[in-house]
Amino acid sequence: TTSTTNPIFLTTMAPPRIRRAGSGAPSVRASKKPRTTINPGSRRGAAVVAEPVPSSDVAQEEDEEAEAERLKQEFLKLLSSDIAKRHSSGLSNKVIKQQLGPEKYVKLVPVINEMMNTSKLIMSRIGDSLFYKSVSDEIASKFIGLDVKAKMVYQVIEKAGNMGVWTKDIRTQTNIQQQALNKIFKTLEGRQLIKPVKSVTAKSKKMYMLYDLVPAKELTGGPWYTELEFDHEFITELRNFVLHCVRRLNGGKGVTMSEISEKMAAAKVSRVQLNMDEVQQLMQTLAYDFLIEQASVNGRGEGLFVAARKVTSACDFKWWDALSPDFHFRNIRFEDGVVLQAHEPHHHTSS
């Protein structure tokens, strides 16, 4: 039995793609790859005929690809410039248009889409504006395979910075159910994109921040807390060292805060490096306890601190000793020469 089939002509072509026209509006044209036509041949197969592509079209396509690559590199340079560093949320459309110009700006769509698909660009919305921020190759590799919800959670956590964000707030902002949110947290933690943190003010609540950020002092309590607990022993040791410096350095005639800070760093009495603000906090606690006081200033305007001279907190005189014969209050002179003026609160130190 012999079967007869009608000739079938099949034409295979590359799918059409979007090309950005000069006016900025996308236009569709077919790819200039060689067109292959299959014609009926013998009963075993078909003859394949390739139609050549005009050299002018190939050159035009190469020029367009080179132009797109130059635009991409210029866009990447802008995203890593000092202008971008001044904007923590990234660059807005308005800024990008100002820097690149209107003509290049309208051609950015395929560049942005390509970078978004490879996770090398983060896009966020603040109000009515879109902001763009580049992502390093190392971080971009960690985003591969993440869905839209996971990227949304990451952006919320990134926006919180080193202050972190409560899990409840993340759920409110993303509108993602808790069960799905827990899976996203686990995925992002496994890829070392985020990490859980706790606050000294709310130890039972869980917060999240980006993996490479250092929590703010408002969360950790600074050097005065160890594992979210106020470290009384550590602070007592530091206070005693400061008192020793005040009494011993410069013959006890006065020591500046910077001299105390340098002495603490040289003696390595603190497990963490204390800045001047933290040294000042220590000295303020000693001043509030009437253990040190500022006696004067040096030539550079720095305060000189000495051990406080106790006037009296437990008075050794009787109440009638403070009265004159006419029953008016009078001054009291102590053995060390300090004079307590009439009506002066007795807990004041000399100045």
Side-chain angles (χ1 to χ4, degrees):
T1 305
T2 303
S3 61
T4 303
T5 58
N6 296 325
I8 300 176
F9 295 88
L10 301 176
T11 302
T12 60
M13 297 180 59
R17 64 179 183 176
I18 302 296
R19 178 174 64 87
R20 179 63 64 180
S23 62
S27 60
V28 180
R29 68 176 178 86
S31 173
K32 292 300 180 181
K33 293 183 179 179
R35 178 163 52 184
T36 303
T37 304
I38 302 177
N39 291 325
S42 62
R43 287 183 297 177
R44 292 186 178 181
V48 179
V49 179
E51 297 180 6
V53 178
S55 59
S56 59
D57 291 344
V58 174
Q60 181 181 357
E61 184 174 354
E62 290 177 350
D63 291 342
E64 291 174 355
E65 291 176 353
E67 182 183 357
E69 182 61 26
R70 287 193 296 269
L71 180 59
K72 178 181 177 181
Q73 295 303 321
E74 188 174 353
F75 184 49
L76 286 172
K77 185 177 179 181
L78 176 62
L79 291 174
S80 59
S81 65
D82 293 336
I83 299 175
K85 292 177 182 178
R86 292 197 295 266
H87 299 79
S88 58
S89 300
L91 293 180
S92 65
N93 278 328
K94 182 179 179 181
V95 175
I96 294 173
K97 188 174 183 179
Q98 290 175 347
Q99 296 298 319
L100 297 182
E103 184 178 351
K104 292 181 180 179
Y105 172 76
V106 297
K107 299 179 181 180
L108 271 180
V109 174
V111 174
I112 291 176
N113 289 338
E114 177 189 349
M115 295 179 65
M116 291 286 292
N117 292 335
T118 55
S119 301
K120 293 185 178 180
L121 186 71
I122 293 179
M123 182 175 65
S124 58
R125 180 182 293 276
I126 301 178
D128 296 331
S129 301
L130 291 176
F131 290 80
Y132 302 91
K133 191 174 182 180
S134 62
V135 179
S136 64
D137 293 339
E138 181 182 358
I139 298 296
S141 63
K142 298 179 180 180
F143 280 97
I144 296 176
L146 291 180
D147 57 15
V148 176
K149 290 184 177 180
K151 292 181 179 180
M152 187 189 306
V153 171
Y154 178 87
Q155 290 177 2
V156 171
I157 297 174
E158 180 186 34
K159 186 179 178 181
N162 65 349
M163 288 297 295
V165 58
W166 303 112
T167 54
K168 182 179 179 182
D169 294 335
I170 297 175
R171 187 172 69 250
T172 302
Q173 295 182 42
T174 60
N175 200 27
I176 300 175
Q177 296 298 323
Q178 187 63 50
Q179 185 176 0
L181 200 57
N182 291 337
K183 292 181 180 179
I184 293 175
F185 288 150
K186 187 176 181 180
T187 300
L188 296 179
E189 286 185 60
R191 299 192 181 198
Q192 294 186 341
L193 290 171
I194 64 173
K195 62 182 177 182
V197 293
K198 291 186 177 181
S199 171
V200 293
T201 58
K203 302 174 186 177
S204 60
K205 295 183 179 180
K206 182 179 286 189
M207 307 175 68
Y208 280 97
M209 68 174 53
L210 295 189
Y211 185 82
D212 57 347
L213 293 183
V214 177
K217 291 181 179 179
E218 289 83 354
L219 299 181
T220 63
W224 318 129
Y225 283 77
T226 302
E227 297 181 356
L228 304 180
E229 297 293 338
F230 192 72
D231 199 335
H232 295 274
E233 182 177 353
F234 175 63
I235 295 174
T236 300
E237 292 177 359
L238 295 179
R239 279 165 50 96
N240 290 337
F241 184 84
V242 172
L243 271 176
H244 177 80
C245 292
V246 171
R247 291 168 178 168
R248 301 295 181 183
L249 293 181
N250 302 330
K253 297 180 181 180
V255 60
T256 65
M257 193 181 303
S258 58
E259 289 175 328
I260 293 176
S261 179
E262 293 172 1
K263 193 68 175 179
M264 293 178 70
K268 298 180 179 180
V269 295
S270 175
R271 57 174 173 264
V272 294
Q273 182 67 37
L274 301 179
N275 56 39
M276 290 300 295
D277 290 337
E278 292 161 348
V279 174
Q280 183 180 12
Q281 291 175 13
L282 274 177
M283 299 184 68
Q284 282 178 337
T285 64
L286 293 171
Y288 292 150
D289 290 339
F290 306 110
L291 295 174
I292 65 172
E293 62 185 3
Q294 182 176 333
S296 58
V297 294
N298 60 13
R300 297 187 298 271
E302 297 176 298
L304 292 173
F305 295 88
V306 297
R309 293 176 292 175
K310 294 183 179 180
V311 175
T312 178
S313 55
C315 301
D316 294 330
F317 57 87
K318 306 300 181 182
W319 63 267
W320 52 82
D321 292 334
L323 294 176
S324 299
D326 57 357
F327 293 99
H328 288 283
F329 285 101
R330 62 183 178 86
N331 299 342
I332 297 291
R333 180 178 295 276
F334 294 90
E335 295 178 355
D336 57 1
V338 176
V339 177
L340 180 65
Q341 300 292 333
H343 303 288
E344 181 184 0
H346 69 274
H347 58 266
H348 278 193
T349 57
S350 60
S351 57

